[in-house]
Amino acid sequence: MRYEIGATWGSVSGDSSETEIFITEGAVQTVPYETVVTSTQTGPLTKIEAYGTRDEVPFNLDIEFGRSVMNEALIVHRRGTVGAPRVLVVGTIHGDEPAGLEVTAILRTMRLEDPVDLWIVDNLNPDGFKAGTRQNANLVDLNRNFPRRTEPVGKVAYWLYSGPSEGNEPETKALASLGEQI
């Protein structure tokens, strides 16, 4: 997969020949990762339920917002400005399409010129990512499992299988809940 990021995010283009991201010179200003304020977090992740409201969720900290089928933590990272327009970015939904991880890595470190309340989910499908498959551990294509404007697709083991019912997978439930909170 090849992605080219131009002067604006509206000019992202891609083809399926290789997995690379090319950034036009000057299109994205990044700051060295070492200069980004991060937590000294050790031990278990804080769960998002520990916070009463969206505004109580801290910045620059990885927060668990759910668990995958195989009990892997689903993590969101918040950075930016309180009260600014909110943006949720999911890097990887299909385990065999990792290019989004490079995009979220850029978003975690780039200089934010305009106020934004940025919520970053690097990987919604850690089980599929580990297995190198499109689907989660239940063989469901998470992109087709969301509970809105979806139609049943295929049967178990079909590569686009949408699951036994819409929104039933733990990963889609967790992301839907996160989206509502944000």
Side-chain angles (χ1 to χ4, degrees):
M1 186 72 62
R2 176 188 163 118
Y3 295 92
E4 185 166 341
I5 301 174
T8 67
W9 287 103
S11 63
V12 176
S13 61
D15 66 42
S16 60
S17 62
E18 52 192 60
T19 304
E20 295 182 81
I21 295 180
F22 297 91
I23 303 173
T24 305
E25 188 175 338
V28 178
Q29 292 183 348
T30 60
V31 294
Y33 186 77
E34 298 78 32
T35 66
V36 176
V37 178
T38 57
S39 73
T40 56
Q41 178 175 330
T42 58
L45 294 168
T46 303
K47 295 184 179 184
I48 202 158
E49 295 85 22
Y51 306 100
T53 67
R54 168 190 64 236
D55 292 334
E56 293 174 8
V57 176
F59 287 86
N60 301 313
L61 186 67
D62 288 338
I63 305 290
E64 180 182 322
F65 69 94
R67 291 277 170 167
S68 71
V69 172
M70 301 297 290
N71 204 33
E72 292 290 328
L74 302 175
I75 298 167
V76 65
H77 184 87
R78 183 183 189 196
R79 64 179 298 233
T81 306
V82 174
R86 293 177 298 276
V87 176
L88 171 62
V89 176
V90 179
T92 297
I93 291 179
H94 298 140
D96 61 353
E97 297 175 359
L101 298 175
E102 293 185 45
V103 173
T104 59
I106 291 169
L107 290 173
R108 280 178 176 250
T109 61
M110 68 183 283
R111 185 178 321 279
L112 300 174
E113 298 294 330
D114 296 318
V116 64
D117 187 356
L118 184 59
W119 299 69
I120 303 166
V121 175
D122 294 317
N123 189 354
L124 185 64
N125 187 1
D127 304 339
F129 183 76
K130 283 183 180 177
T133 63
R134 177 183 185 91
Q135 302 87 355
N136 71 352
N138 286 339
L139 303 178
V140 172
D141 181 340
L142 297 176
N143 211 31
R144 284 158 179 74
N145 186 251
F146 286 97
R148 189 170 162 92
R149 297 186 193 121
T150 59
E151 296 179 17
V153 177
K155 296 181 179 183
V156 174
Y158 177 62
W159 70 290
L160 295 176
Y161 178 53
S162 61
S165 62
E166 60 182 35
N168 70 298
E169 296 302 304
E171 298 92 345
T172 49
K173 286 179 183 177
L175 189 63
S177 178
L178 178 65
E180 287 178 18
Q181 183 173 10
I182 293 173

